[in-house]
Structure formats: structure tokens, C-alpha cells
Amino acid sequence: MAIAAAVIVVIIAIVAIFATGIISTDSLMGQPPVENKTFDFEGCTLELPETSAVLNLTGNEDQGVQSTFYLVTDNSTNTTFTLAVGSGSNLVPTANDYIANLASQGYNVQKDGEYKGWTIVKDSDEDSYTYELVKVDGKAYVFSGDDLNQLKSIVDTFKKKD
């Protein structure tokens, strides 16, 4: 009976250690835990896994809007998302105008809610990402990806540069 009680105490202690984050399962499996670092983008910074790779595809001015496009891949999880940053004299003034502009060009998009000041856009076209999180605040910031929860966690780390 004493052995069973001791085993239960040890199991509870192990569960408590993992629950508090003192030791991660990754470190026990020989894989270091994923660490974040600050990545600089046009007009903002994001906290992303240090295993991320960023490809900057700077655009050109098109009808009064300068755009910078980033393709971000996390090499540890094989996930990707994009960030487009737009500015210029013809920039749409709101996220709702952004949606209306896309819809007028034939894209199958609709507003799908709000998240902490970001507008969620659902894109039903098969040749593009499923979701976008959009904010227009002096510049337009558009995060695109297939995993809405991933996009939400990314914009949670968004810090605008002045």
C-alpha cells in the first residue's frame, strides 16, 4: 500500500512539473523547446519562433499603393503565413473598404468577425489562404493563412513601429 501511495505522489509531482512549465516534454525527448525572437517587418515587429524564416518580396507602387509582402515559414512546424503591408495615397481607409475592394474585383470574401481590433476576413476562393486578419492604421496590415488560431496568436505579438 505504501508503494502505491508513493507511486501516486510521484505521478502527481511529475504532472505538476509539466503543468507549471518547469520542464517541457520537448526537453525530455531531446528536442529543445521552441524559443521566440523579435522579427522586424515594415512598420511592425512580431514575436515568432526563432526557427522561422522570412522572405521579403518588396512590391512596387501600383495605383498609389506601395506594398511589401513577406512569406514567413516556421521550419520546426512546416507552417506558413503571409504578411502584406501597404501604404500610399490610395490606401483603403478601413478594413471594411479593403473587403469591399476585394469583393468588387471578384474575390469571394466576407467579414467573419473581429479579434482584438483586427477584422477577420474569410476567403472562400480555393487558390488562396482561408483567413485574413486585417488592420488599417496609417498602413494596412494583412496577415493571411489557413489556421485562424495561428493568425490570432501571431497578431497577439504585433507591435506597430512609429
Side-chain angles (χ1 to χ4, degrees):
M1 194 69 151
I3 294 175
V7 169
I8 290 173
V9 169
V10 169
I11 290 172
I12 290 172
I14 290 172
V15 169
I17 288 171
F18 284 118
T20 60
I22 295 171
I23 298 176
S24 73
T25 55
D26 287 341
S27 63
L28 286 179
M29 302 299 258
Q31 298 174 351
V34 174
E35 299 289 331
N36 285 346
K37 74 176 190 177
T38 302
F39 283 81
D40 283 312
F41 296 89
E42 174 67 32
C44 68
T45 63
L46 298 172
E47 297 295 319
L48 300 172
E50 63 183 15
T51 55
S52 297
V54 178
L55 179 60
N56 180 339
L57 304 168
T58 300
N60 53 14
E61 190 159 327
D62 182 25
Q63 299 176 355
V65 176
Q66 173 67 34
S67 62
T68 304
F69 183 81
Y70 301 94
L71 176 63
V72 182
T73 301
D74 181 353
N75 295 317
S76 67
T77 61
N78 290 325
T79 58
T80 63
F81 71 90
T82 62
L83 167 61
V85 181
S87 61
S89 61
N90 255 354
L91 184 68
V92 293
T94 68
N96 287 333
D97 291 322
Y98 170 80
I99 295 167
N101 187 34
L102 287 178
S104 72
Q105 295 176 43
Y107 293 98
N108 190 8
V109 295
Q110 63 187 22
K111 184 174 179 176
D112 197 38
E114 298 279 332
Y115 177 76
K116 296 182 179 180
W118 292 82
T119 300
I120 301 170
V121 179
K122 182 153 186 190
D123 188 338
S124 298
D125 292 323
E126 292 180 15
D127 60 343
S128 60
Y129 286 119
T130 307
Y131 293 100
E132 294 179 349
L133 288 175
V134 179
K135 179 180 276 204
V136 180
D137 183 14
K139 294 185 180 203
Y141 300 93
V142 180
F143 289 89
S144 303
D146 288 323
D147 184 341
L148 182 57
N149 289 326
Q150 177 196 29
L151 293 177
K152 287 178 178 179
S153 69
I154 291 165
V155 300
D156 283 344
T157 71
F158 174 89
K159 289 187 181 59
K160 184 176 175 184
K161 292 192 268 185
D162 293 317

